[in-house]
């Protein structure tokens, strides 16, 4: 049974106006159920509740209470893991294999637990020692305090909805803040389930966590513009990130923005080509709907045809279709709108002169669902639209480079800087290239950086700030410097 209500001020509630909207399975186009359709008024009620909970309770100072509550949530999540697995596959269209990694198991295992454990370890105060600042004989003992930032508006996308929600919620609560979460309308059930778990299985006080589901994207503007919200934490497109930053500027509120990417997968000439180039077909994972996926394959011009032959064969053999089938790495796009958006990019690639080597259309054997064939473009110039803009589909472009310096240039010739990969037979050579790539995360020779303890975010137009890790805790705090007369 799916929970259809949202969470406001500790209560599971319907929308104030009684409206609901449908949740659609993107693999079958069938209606999964109805969800309460929150309005601007509901979001304002949620903000007011979060403000009262922050200003009027000791939540921000009760370290042990927060830790206990987060560990209760951890237990509740673990108890309903398998129900969440089926629910995510149905509403997100994610392959079942991905739920045993970043879509479900990895965040459930650590996204709440790790921040909870850090409450006891985090340096809430540090001493600067004694000093007579002006030489007037007024010696002060000085400290730096870290305190909660306040009410945080959390806006979540549809591609990894539970993972992103938990990796924001854990740090937000661990640092003593309250919040209002606005999930994506395409994937609301994981958020309403979380609403129920918090309300029924934890001691989190009313108003500390509020979750407002809505089919109206503009409801998020309540969070960005309200003077009662101290910060907005957002994951999504760079275009939307700009709008959020503009809205937040009206009240000078802090923002954390994890935005788009156009990451490069650089295969150097001494790499294990069959493995490194063949694995580039992983661009199709979750239908390419991941901001950190490496969508540009950069290969040496001297081995270009060899690389094209390998990746062509690999892309032809990617399993795609029913996300419940473990043989499929690729499921559907999240919606008809997203399917059409990706197809438009494919047409633009053709029009600009790139050569379509694999796929490029809607699969005829999948009459239902928002599917697109695994798609490979070769003979791509890095200035082409398909090499510069985030497509968010199962589309890989292959670009040749002359040498290491040229590979670095091409990789950095992008408005984005979120992630990437480097493959080489010489780890020191790979590290040197990595040191020159302007991205927030990098994997060398297939190594994976992901984790609740690992800072994640981007350079340039890929965002502002970091999620997870110590940096992802600090971002949800304010800094206060305090001086008292030194002991005599």
């Amino acid at each position: 049974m799916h929970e259809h209500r949202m969470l406001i001020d500790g209560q599971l509630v319907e929308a104030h106006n009684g409206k609901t909207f449908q949740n659609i399975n993107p693999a079958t186009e069938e209606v999964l159920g109805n969800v309460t359709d929150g309005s601007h008024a509901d979001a304002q009620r949620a903000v007011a509740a979060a403000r009262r909970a922050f200003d009027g309770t000791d939540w921000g100072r009760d370290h042990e209470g927060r830790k206990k509550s987060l560990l209760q949530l951890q237990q509740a999540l673990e108890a309903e893991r398998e129900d969440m697995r089926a629910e995510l596959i149905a509403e997100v269209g994610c392959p079942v294999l991905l739920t045993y990694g970043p879509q479900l198991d990895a965040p459930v295992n650590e996204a709440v637990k790790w921040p909870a454990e850090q409450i006891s370890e985090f340096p809430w105060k540090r001493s600067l020692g004694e000093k007579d600042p002006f030489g007037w004989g007024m010696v002060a003992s000085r400290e730096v305090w870290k305190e909660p930032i306040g009410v945080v508006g959390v806006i979540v996308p549809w591609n990894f909805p539970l993972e992103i929600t938990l990796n924001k919620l854990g740090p937000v609560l661990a640092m003593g803040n309250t919040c209002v979460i606005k999930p994506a309308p395409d994937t609301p059930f994981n958020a309403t389930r979380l609403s129920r778990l918090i309300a029924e299985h934890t001691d989190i006080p009313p108003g500390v966590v509020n979750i407002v589901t809505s089919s109206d994207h503009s409801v998020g503007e309540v969070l960005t513009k309200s003077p009662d919200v101290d910060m907005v934490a957002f994951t999504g497109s760079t275009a939307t990130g700009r709008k959020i930053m503009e809205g937040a500027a009206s009240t000078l509120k802090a923002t954390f923005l994890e935005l788009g990417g156009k990451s490069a997968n650089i295969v150097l000439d001494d790499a294990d080509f069959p493995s490194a180039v063949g694995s580039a077909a992983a661009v199709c994972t979750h239908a390419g709907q991941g901001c950190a996926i490496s969508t540009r394959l950069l290969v040496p011009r001297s081995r270009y045809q060899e690389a094209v032959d390998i990746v062509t064969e690999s892309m032809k053999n990617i399993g795609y279709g029913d996300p419940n089938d473990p043989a499929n790495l690729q499921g559907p796009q999240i919606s008809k709108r997203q399917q059409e958006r990706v197809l438009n990019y494919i047409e633009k690639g053709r029009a600009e002169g790139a050569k379509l080597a694999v796929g490029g259309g809607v699969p005829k054997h999948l009459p239902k669902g928002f599917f697109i064939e695994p798609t490979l473009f070769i003979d791509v110039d890095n200035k082409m639209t398909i090499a510069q803009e985030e497509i968010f589909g199962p589309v890989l472009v292959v670009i040749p480079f002359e040498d290491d310096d040229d590979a670095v240039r091409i990789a950095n010739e992008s408005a984005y800087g979120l992630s990437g990969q480097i493959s080489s037979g010489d780890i020191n050579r790979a590290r040197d290239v990595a040191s020159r790539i302007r991205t927030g995360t990098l994997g060398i020779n297939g190594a994976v950086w992901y984790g609740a303890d690992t800072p994640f975010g981007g350079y340039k137009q890929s965002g502002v700030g970091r999620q997870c890790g110590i940096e992802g805790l600090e971002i949800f705090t304010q800094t206060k410097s305090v001086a008292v007369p030194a002991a005599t």
Side-chain angles (χ1 to χ4, degrees), residues 1-81:
M1 294 293 293
H2 303 295
E3 176 59 61
H4 71 280
R5 295 168 295 177
M6 57 188 175
L7 178 65
I8 298 179
D9 206 8
Q11 301 295 315
L12 296 172
V13 298
E14 310 282 352
H16 183 69
N17 57 19
K19 290 184 177 180
T20 62
F21 67 98
Q22 293 180 333
N23 191 9
I24 306 295
N25 183 324
T28 65
E29 301 182 48
E30 296 174 352
V31 177
L32 294 170
N34 293 325
V35 188
T36 190
D37 196 358
S39 65
H40 283 243
D42 293 307
Q44 288 163 354
R45 285 197 298 132
V47 169
R51 187 79 260 166
R52 286 195 305 271
F54 184 77
D55 294 339
T57 74
D58 66 350
W59 172 256
R61 298 177 296 278
D62 183 7
H63 291 200
E64 289 305 314
R66 297 205 304 274
K67 185 172 184 179
K68 176 186 175 183
S69 296
L70 282 169
L71 293 178
Q72 288 172 336
L73 179 57
Q74 173 75 27
Q75 291 177 344
L77 290 165
E78 290 176 355
E80 299 197 8
R81 185 192 300 260

Side-chain angles (χ1 to χ4, degrees), residues 234-316:
F234 167 75
T235 295
S237 72
T238 296
T240 303
R242 289 192 191 99
K243 293 179 182 177
I244 287 173
M245 184 172 275
E246 289 171 1
S250 64
T251 55
L252 290 179
K253 61 171 56 72
T255 58
F256 162 65
L257 306 173
E258 191 273 289
L259 307 177
K262 194 68 181 178
S263 302
N265 181 356
I266 303 172
V267 180
L268 301 179
D269 56 13
D270 61 350
D272 178 348
F273 255 56
S275 174
V277 175
S279 65
V283 71
C284 297
T285 302
H286 191 21
Q289 297 171 134
C291 53
I293 292 175
S294 295
T295 54
R296 292 182 294 158
L297 176 61
L298 276 54
V299 297
R301 191 178 297 278
S302 60
R303 302 185 68 175
Y304 182 74
Q305 191 56 53
E306 177 187 358
V308 166
D309 292 344
I310 292 170
V311 75
T312 298
E313 191 65 22
S314 186
M315 290 287 284
K316 285 180 178 178

Side-chain angles (χ1 to χ4, degrees), residues 218-234:
S218 72
V219 166
E221 293 179 5
V222 174
L223 306 183
T224 62
K225 295 181 178 179
S226 171
D228 287 329
V229 175
D230 300 292
M231 179 180 185
V232 175
F234 167 75

Side-chain angles (χ1 to χ4, degrees), residues 357-473:
V358 177
V362 176
K364 292 182 175 59
H365 68 287
L366 295 170
K368 288 287 188 180
F370 310 121
F371 294 95
I372 291 178
E373 295 171 323
T375 299
L376 175 67
F377 277 106
I378 61 175
D379 298 343
V380 175
D381 185 282
N382 196 52
K383 292 182 174 59
M384 291 179 177
T385 302
I386 56 172
Q388 287 294 313
E389 296 186 13
E390 186 177 45
I391 298 173
F392 234 57
V395 181
L396 180 67
V397 303
V398 187
I399 302 170
F401 63 82
E402 301 297 338
D403 54 23
D404 292 9
D405 291 342
D406 195 38
V408 169
R409 177 190 63 79
I410 294 171
N412 287 335
E413 197 177 71
S414 170
Y416 299 107
L418 187 58
S419 195
Q421 301 177 63
I422 301 168
S423 297
S424 174
D426 183 340
I427 194 69
N428 290 326
R429 181 184 179 191
R431 284 179 178 274
D432 175 70
V433 171
S435 71
R436 294 187 281 158
I437 304 296
R438 299 195 66 226
T439 64
T441 58
L442 278 169
I444 294 176
N445 288 347
V448 178
W449 45 262
Y450 179 91
D453 59 349
T454 307
F456 173 53
Y459 290 26
K460 300 186 281 187
Q461 293 187 35
S462 285
V464 178
R466 293 295 181 269
Q467 177 172 288
C468 298
I470 297 300
E471 291 80 359
L473 298 177

